[in-house]
Amino acid sequence: MPEGHTIHRLARDHQRRFAGRALAVSSPQGRFRDGAEAIDGRVLNRVEARGKHLFYEWDGPILHVHLGLYGRFHSHPSPPPQPRGQVRLRVIGNARSFDLNGPAACELLDRREVEQLHQRLGPDPLRSDADPRRAWERIRRSRA
């Protein structure tokens, strides 16, 4: 399972390569077909990481991705090669594209659902807007 710093690096990379552009989105595997159709052709506004979660803010819905144990991104130049394995999500930009295989979560959320998830996750100490006191209190109370 990738740790938080890896997820933050992915967010920065995807922000740099894909944000501000209308992207082609599909689900070759078919398990995310409706979600892919809802964001296909829309502009990706920004990508951010919170803990081990990625949030892709499109014009409208927000794509939530959690890689879990088996999830993996594969980056390609555009146009990408034929999908390999069970590609849940394929995003194609002008110069680069990526495939997402095996995530624990790949879903569209509205802003209210995203806020509820953020509250459940708590503060991310790798974010500049995190409250360190709140993070410390949560860690201190944990039995793990």
Side-chain angles (χ1 to χ4, degrees), residues 4-138:
H5 67 287
T6 302
I7 301 301
H8 280 265
R9 181 187 51 77
L10 275 166
R12 284 190 305 272
D13 183 50
H14 287 181
Q15 172 73 26
R16 181 174 45 83
R17 291 182 177 188
F18 300 105
R21 296 169 182 86
L23 302 169
V25 181
S26 64
S27 179
Q29 172 195 59
R31 287 186 60 191
F32 188 63
R33 181 171 288 122
D34 291 344
E37 288 175 0
I39 55 179
D40 181 39
R42 290 182 183 236
V43 173
L44 176 63
N45 294 319
R46 78 179 192 167
V47 181
E48 72 172 1
R50 284 192 180 256
K52 295 181 181 184
H53 300 256
L54 287 161
F55 297 91
Y56 295 78
E57 294 187 21
W58 305 84
D59 286 341
I62 299 168
L63 172 65
H64 167 235
V65 172
H66 179 44
L67 294 177
L69 289 174
Y70 304 108
R72 210 169 235 103
F73 283 101
H74 300 279
S75 182
H76 310 286
S78 288
Q82 288 296 314
R84 292 186 62 200
Q86 296 295 310
V87 177
R88 179 88 47 94
L89 174 71
R90 171 167 271 194
V91 174
I92 303 173
N94 292 337
R96 300 294 299 173
S97 61
F98 69 80
D99 291 340
L100 173 62
N101 295 69
C106 179
E107 60 189 349
L108 292 182
L109 303 175
D110 62 30
R111 295 208 178 280
R112 182 186 54 78
E113 292 168 317
V114 169
E115 186 55 38
Q116 289 172 344
L117 180 56
H118 288 177
Q119 291 301 315
R120 194 180 83 230
L121 293 174
D124 177 352
L126 296 180
R127 290 178 56 95
S128 61
D129 61 353
D131 180 352
R133 291 181 311 244
R134 212 172 133 224
W136 171 245
E137 281 304 311
R138 191 165 179 147

